[in-house]
Amino acid sequence: MGEEGTEGTIHLLCLAASSGVPLFCRSSRGGAPARQQLPFSVIGSLNGVHMFGQNLEVQLSSSRTEDTTVVLLVGLEELTNIRNVERLKKELRASYRLIDSFLGDSELIGDLTQCVDCVVPPEGSLLQEALSGFAEAAGTAFISLVVSGRVVAATESWWRLGMPEAVLLPWLVGSLPPQAARDYPVYLPHGSPTVPHRLLTLTLLPDLELCLLCGPQPPLSQLDAQLLERWWQPLLEPLRGCLPLGTRALPAGFPLHTDILGLLLLHLELKRCLFTVEPSRDKEPSPEHRRRLLRSFYTLVTATHFPPEPGQPEEKAEEAIHRAQVARACYLVLGTEEPGTGWRLVALQLGPRRLLLLLSAQSPTYGLRGLATHTLHALTPLL
């Protein structure tokens, strides 16, 4: 959706595939929603170029000037047979907060990695046991506990959700304004693109919510205060211990090397990740800058250094043969390699886990792989 770190304006433009009618346009500048909107004349011109390219089997995906990027999103097949454009526009408004959160400077990274943003609670086994009991009492197998858009714990059925809904559902909950309870219709792009499910949310503590994915039953009124108190009142302190994890991801006191400024740990088989830029907050760069550096580094190493994961359909036979010869570690130095200047980024892959670290300028380059290996071994029991 535009270059990482760009200070210009990004516009996301959605057009109906058949008619070219603009369905919505959302704008972001510097990671925040922008009031500046695309003039209708510009939208019309872009649609004209898109239609012209279609006739030549060329797809226009984006248009860029010195300080502006426009990303064109053509409607899905299900949206091509539009009977009432104005009604569709109104229905799409329910997605604006989710769309804006993708365009903004989010603290999450699942949109890029296609892995679920998770946290590691201090008393995970207790929370998991309560979640399983509550799921049985509520009559649905799909339940998760979410803090600030990150999954704290979930039932086995919830973890079996396909992509991208496994990433989108907690992200959606994190993007919505605070509310004690919700009954929200959702379409699952992979599992149920035409028939809506119900996403029920119940706020246990500020930014900490229970999420239930279900059909017509149970009604929201059945999930009353008495049922919540029965399962969650005894766990009030463990629940409170989850609140700081919204940005930290790791339990308090987890030992990390003092040079680590941020980390991204992915489990490529489970499709889950831990992402934080909280370590050593008193050091430069800012958390926003750290997130941008790690996102850009992830894009770089995924595209150029690490092979596709086993079983991915796009992997060719010859790529599978040479996979063992591909590097499993790499690093990048921003600035010079002299200690005390620039920042270091290192990536390491062992088995199904991939670790990316952002390190301070004091970290010597000769020790990067050893530090990454030690950190990955320490994090392995968590994910």
Side-chain angles (χ1 to χ4, degrees), residues 97-118:
R97 282 185 173 269
L98 180 63
I99 294 169
D100 289 345
S101 69
F102 285 127
L103 291 175
D105 184 20
S106 175
E107 295 179 350
L108 307 177
I109 201 169
D111 61 318
L112 181 63
T113 64
Q114 286 302 290
C115 292
V116 181
D117 285 278
C118 300

Side-chain angles (χ1 to χ4, degrees), residues 35 53 111 150 155-156 178 282 323 338 341 367 376:
R35 293 183 179 180
D111 61 318
R150 303 176 191 241
T155 59
E156 291 185 10
D282 56 326
R323 195 188 321 128
E338 295 297 324
T341 61
L376 181 55

Side-chain angles (χ1 to χ4, degrees), residues 59-304:
Q59 182 176 349
L60 175 67
S61 59
S62 67
S63 176
R64 184 173 301 172
T65 66
E66 289 184 359
D67 61 352
T68 302
T69 300
V70 182
V71 183
L72 276 74
L73 180 67
V74 180
L76 296 175
E77 184 178 351
E78 289 81 0
L79 297 177
T80 56
N81 299 320
I82 301 172
R83 298 180 180 179
N84 189 322
V85 173
E86 295 305 317
R87 179 179 177 181
L88 177 61
K89 288 181 180 179
K90 291 180 180 179
E91 292 174 347
L92 286 172
R93 289 175 187 169
S95 304
Y96 282 179
R97 282 185 173 269
L98 180 63
I99 294 169
D100 289 345
S101 69
F102 285 127
L103 291 175
D105 184 20
S106 175
E107 295 179 350
L108 307 177
I109 201 169
D111 61 318
L112 181 63
T113 64
Q114 286 302 290
C115 292
V116 181
D117 285 278
C118 300
V119 300
V120 182
E123 299 187 60
S125 58
L126 288 177
L127 296 175
Q128 190 67 52
E129 184 179 347
L131 200 66
S132 299
F134 183 80
E136 185 176 352
T140 178
F142 298 87
I143 298 187
S144 65
L145 186 62
V146 175
V147 58
S148 302
R150 303 176 191 241
V151 175
V152 178
T155 59
E156 291 185 10
S157 296
W158 183 282
W159 285 127
R160 286 198 295 267
L161 288 173
M163 295 295 163
E165 44 257 40
V167 169
L168 288 174
L169 288 173
W171 194 303
L172 170 65
V173 173
S175 71
L176 296 174
Q179 212 163 350
R182 302 185 192 91
D183 192 335
Y184 210 85
V186 292
Y187 290 87
L188 306 181
H190 174 76
S192 182
T194 58
V195 179
H197 283 62
R198 295 165 62 225
L199 179 64
L200 308 183
T201 68
L202 302 164
T203 298
L204 301 180
L205 292 171
D207 296 324
L208 183 64
E209 300 178 73
L210 274 174
C211 303
L212 298 80
L213 187 64
C214 53
Q217 299 293 328
L220 186 59
S221 57
Q222 180 178 318
L223 307 175
D224 54 22
Q226 185 176 359
L227 182 64
L228 291 176
E229 289 178 4
R230 174 189 169 190
W231 289 101
W232 300 107
Q233 184 66 33
L235 298 179
L236 186 57
E237 288 308 313
L239 290 174
R240 285 175 176 161
C242 296
L243 299 182
L245 299 176
T247 55
R248 194 172 63 209
L250 300 174
F254 185 83
L256 286 176
H257 195 282
T258 55
D259 286 347
I260 295 177
L261 304 177
L263 68 85
L264 169 61
L265 174 64
L266 305 109
H267 196 298
L268 302 172
E269 292 179 355
L270 297 178
K271 293 294 183 181
R272 304 176 198 175
C273 67
L274 299 174
F275 180 48
T276 180
V277 293
E278 288 294 300
S280 304
R281 283 185 62 94
D282 56 326
K283 299 179 181 178
E284 292 291 332
S286 67
E288 294 77 14
H289 193 185
R290 296 182 189 189
R291 282 193 290 270
R292 288 196 293 268
L293 288 172
L294 279 168
R295 288 178 71 96
S296 296
F297 187 53
Y298 172 83
T299 302
L300 173 68
V301 300
T302 301
T304 60

Side-chain angles (χ1 to χ4, degrees), residues 301-309 326-330 347-349 354 356:
V301 300
T302 301
T304 60
H305 295 301
F306 294 144
E309 284 71 61
V326 179
R328 293 299 180 184
C330 61
L348 175 69
Q349 183 158 328
R354 182 180 299 168
L356 282 71

